[in-house]
Amino acid sequence: MQTQSLWEHTLTFFPQFLSALKEHTSPDATVAVIGASDGKFVLPLAAAGYRVIAVERDPLALHGGEVRLPGFVIARAMGLIDRLKLEGLYDRVQVVEEDFLASKPLDRPCDAVWTSCSWHYSANHHRPLAEFVARMQLLVRPGGLFGAEFMMPVEPRHHLVEHYTSPEKLSRYFISAWHLLLTLRTTEFTERAHLGRLQDHTHRMGLLLAARTPGPPHLQEKKNS
């Protein structure tokens, strides 16, 4: 890549999602990225040959602009759209500039959906976590893949917000018509300062990967009975 995401060095379970994507979908599968930001995950997916739907509402992340970086450095950041054009990937990505929780569902099911640490942001706390997860699940076609990495509670205030969750709690939304593939968690770790958090800080993160069963739930139940 000629360009680099501002989030390039933050910890991620994305390699595990990519591995599951290769196993459960075709090489030209359609993948929706919810909370696409400046393309940390969108560009690698598009470069690997996948068709990508990038959902993001932040104008700065999409179009670039002035940002404050660690060390109180003011810099000009490149947005997702310019990065796609510079990398020659713009035609492989459909950019949806909307609030995922407030907009209409996408007009077609996807082979996979991925989100990274998006629902814990306070801007998304006006809707229950269950709604965020359900809207993502609706995007996944039968036989498709759901992937999410998320922040787990560290500070006392986090335990009062359901959006800081755990693999066990999140698994409750995947009882019917889903098959859990993988859950992971980290212990507490210190992450270097980055955009939005200008000092080193402590995190815990979790991962959940699930596959939607190939047929409608009632048919699946009959098959298993």
Side-chain angles (χ1 to χ4, degrees):
M1 293 286 177
Q2 302 178 67
T3 64
Q4 190 174 64
S5 167
L6 291 174
W7 305 96
E8 199 72 33
H9 300 294
T10 55
L11 186 145
T12 181
F13 289 114
F14 186 61
Q16 285 84 351
F17 173 73
L18 274 182
S19 178
L21 194 61
K22 293 176 182 177
E23 181 178 351
H24 290 273
T25 68
S26 63
D28 62 345
T30 298
V31 184
V33 178
I34 309 304
S37 189
D38 67 353
K40 176 178 178 177
F41 308 110
V42 172
L43 273 74
L45 287 167
Y50 297 104
R51 296 186 296 270
V52 185
I53 302 174
V55 182
E56 176 58 63
R57 68 178 179 180
D58 182 3
L60 180 62
L62 290 171
H63 305 288
E66 190 176 274
V67 297
R68 177 173 288 183
L69 300 177
F72 300 98
V73 174
I74 304 299
R76 171 79 186 182
M78 184 177 293
L80 170 63
I81 293 174
D82 284 342
R83 291 191 68 213
L84 288 170
K85 291 179 178 177
L86 186 59
E87 301 289 353
L89 298 170
Y90 185 75
D91 291 341
R92 298 199 61 85
V93 179
Q94 175 188 348
V95 177
V96 179
E97 189 171 357
E98 293 181 354
D99 181 344
F100 175 67
L101 292 174
S103 59
K104 295 180 180 179
L106 300 179
D107 57 3
R108 54 177 169 152
C110 301
D111 299 292
V113 63
W114 167 256
T115 195
S116 172
C117 303
S118 54
W119 57 55
H120 79 279
Y121 282 105
S122 59
N124 291 323
H125 292 179
H126 65 292
R127 300 286 184 88
L129 175 59
E131 181 178 347
F132 200 115
V133 174
R135 287 178 70 91
M136 283 185 59
Q137 289 175 328
L138 287 173
L139 295 180
V140 183
R141 64 161 180 79
L145 180 69
F146 179 108
E149 60 183 10
F150 44 89
M151 292 300 178
M152 298 175 61
V154 175
E155 302 175 18
R157 63 184 177 87
H158 294 162
H159 292 274
L160 303 177
V161 181
E162 65 168 346
H163 299 74
Y164 288 88
T165 188
S166 68
E168 293 77 17
K169 291 180 179 179
L170 199 60
S171 297
R172 300 170 190 170
Y173 300 113
F174 294 85
I175 302 300
S176 177
W178 292 89
H179 173 60
L180 284 178
L181 301 174
L182 178 66
T183 60
L184 294 173
R185 66 171 70 223
T186 69
T187 56
E188 291 188 11
F189 64 94
T190 299
E191 190 160 68
R192 292 187 303 174
H194 56 71
L195 177 68
R197 295 292 298 271
L198 301 181
Q199 304 293 331
D200 292 355
H201 49 283
T202 302
H203 281 320
R204 282 198 304 160
M205 287 177 61
L207 169 76
L208 183 143
L209 299 179
R212 186 174 174 184
T213 51
H218 66 284
L219 295 179
Q220 188 69 20
E221 290 170 6
K222 289 181 181 179
K223 182 178 178 180
N224 293 336
S225 61

